[in-house]
Amino acid sequence: MFTLAQARHLVATLRPRVDELIRHRADLAELRVDLADHGASALGGLAEVKALEARLHAVVEEFHQHGIEVKGIAPVLLDFPGEREGRAVLWCWLEGDTDVRWYHRVECGFAGRRPV
């Protein structure tokens, strides 16, 4: 369980890993398109695809080890289990946000997001 302050601190602390995930995601997308369209890419071949997939998985696993729920990687969507006013909530951070500014009740999902 995270407080809002803890979720915010963890987002700031892990920001370099989020940025790494975004770079790997973009490289992987470009590499896959190049290979599908041209059979070759300046970024490499199948071995590089597998390596990028492994790097993405490693970053996601690191987030899981911190207790963070990774709901998506394109865009990156991270949820931090917490509590607000006696109810179970997920503090939400979406790629592009400067801070954790949203939450939703666990049973409501992304559609139930509200500003903090």
Side-chain angles (χ1 to χ4, degrees):
M1 295 290 277
F2 295 91
T3 65
L4 176 58
Q6 289 168 327
R8 286 178 165 164
H9 175 75
L10 204 46
V11 163
T13 301
L14 293 174
R15 185 60 202 222
R17 298 296 281 161
V18 170
D19 292 343
E20 180 181 345
L21 187 148
I22 292 168
R23 280 191 310 277
H24 293 325
R25 179 191 72 200
D27 287 348
L28 183 59
E30 186 176 325
L31 180 55
R32 284 180 173 159
V33 167
D34 286 351
L35 293 175
D37 289 350
H38 310 291
S41 173
L43 294 173
L46 186 57
E48 285 73 22
V49 167
K50 295 300 180 189
L52 286 168
E53 289 172 343
R55 289 183 196 130
L56 281 171
H57 178 73
V59 174
V60 168
E61 183 56 34
E62 181 180 340
F63 293 153
H64 288 161
Q65 289 174 0
H66 284 282
I68 301 167
E69 297 178 16
V70 179
K71 298 294 178 79
I73 64 165
V76 178
L77 175 59
L78 305 177
D79 280 347
F80 301 80
E83 187 176 301
R84 180 181 168 106
E85 298 174 357
R87 291 195 147 174
V89 299
L90 295 169
W91 307 110
C92 300
W93 182 85
L94 179 63
E95 184 178 331
D97 289 349
T98 57
D99 196 359
V100 177
R101 296 180 184 221
W102 299 90
Y103 76 97
H104 61 81
R105 289 178 19 199
V106 172
E107 66 274 13
C108 294
F110 188 85
R113 283 180 15 134
R114 297 180 181 277
V116 172

